[in-house]
Amino acid sequence: MRYLMVILMGYLIGSSSMSYYLGRLNNINVFKSGTGNLGASNMVLIMGWKAGIIVAIHDILKAYIAVLLAQRLFGDLPYVGELAGIACVIGHIFPFYLKFKGGKGFASYIGMTIALDWRFAIGLIILCAILTLITDYIVAATFTSIFVVPIYIGFSNNSFITCCILLIGTGVMLYKHRDNISRLRKGTEIGLRSAHKGENRLK
């Protein structure tokens, strides 16, 4: 029962969508703009960098808070940080009040990683930034992260169960990014440098 409480808490925190809130405030239907995704990268495309940064910070913090809150409230139980973090990522991807149509989970995944191992997360963020600059695609950093994080944290904790829990997030995010994978194969994926072409900007 307590594990279910951890998962539910993480999911509900993750369901908060700053992209949706900003879109409503600015009379923009985010679902019908850009890639239609409720995440930071799409907000950069349709509303500019300011909106994208606000969304990214929100999405990172909610996962960070979910992990720390679970560890504070249920610290006597093993794996609660990992469970809360993955539940938060899933909540971000499938928010119940938006017909389970949310973002793609990358920022929240990073937030979870910061809470679980901040030193490793710093190196990962630097690597992600380099990969994004080189490839022009955020998905390159995403795919790297969702495979490296479970392996590293599972290995560093000497825990196969930790690795398996985090791999649940890997599977969900791969499913959510299936369109990106298809566009990459076709050469039609939107590059980050195209963000300046967005017509809408946060006031």
Side-chain angles (χ1 to χ4, degrees), residues 50-189:
K50 184 178 179 180
I53 291 172
I54 291 173
V55 171
I57 291 174
H58 169 270
D59 292 347
I60 289 170
L61 282 178
K62 67 183 181 183
Y64 180 82
I65 291 171
V67 172
L68 293 190
L69 193 58
Q71 292 174 336
R72 176 65 63 89
L73 296 177
F74 305 96
D76 58 316
L77 297 176
Y79 317 117
V80 291
E82 293 88 341
L83 284 171
I86 291 301
C88 184
V89 171
I90 293 174
H92 175 79
I93 295 174
F94 303 113
F96 67 95
Y97 63 98
L98 296 175
K99 298 180 180 179
F100 301 99
K101 297 178 181 179
K104 295 191 174 181
F106 179 54
S108 293
Y109 197 86
I110 291 296
M112 174 194 70
T113 304
I114 294 172
L116 293 175
D117 189 332
W118 67 269
R119 293 180 180 86
F120 166 68
I122 290 175
L124 179 67
I125 291 170
I126 293 172
L127 175 62
C128 287
I130 293 172
L131 286 173
T132 300
L133 288 173
I134 292 175
T135 65
D136 194 32
Y137 297 126
I138 294 178
V139 290
T142 301
F143 294 154
T144 300
S145 299
I146 61 178
F147 285 105
V148 170
V149 169
I151 295 173
Y152 176 83
I153 294 183
F155 178 80
S156 63
N157 292 338
N158 194 28
S159 173
F160 177 72
I161 295 177
T162 293
C163 181
C164 289
I165 292 172
L166 297 176
L167 282 173
I168 294 172
T170 300
V172 173
M173 290 179 67
L174 281 175
Y175 171 78
K176 186 66 176 181
H177 283 81
R178 62 193 186 282
D179 291 338
N180 298 86
I181 296 172
S182 177
R183 288 194 295 268
L184 283 171
R185 290 175 175 173
K186 297 176 182 178
T188 58
E189 175 72 353

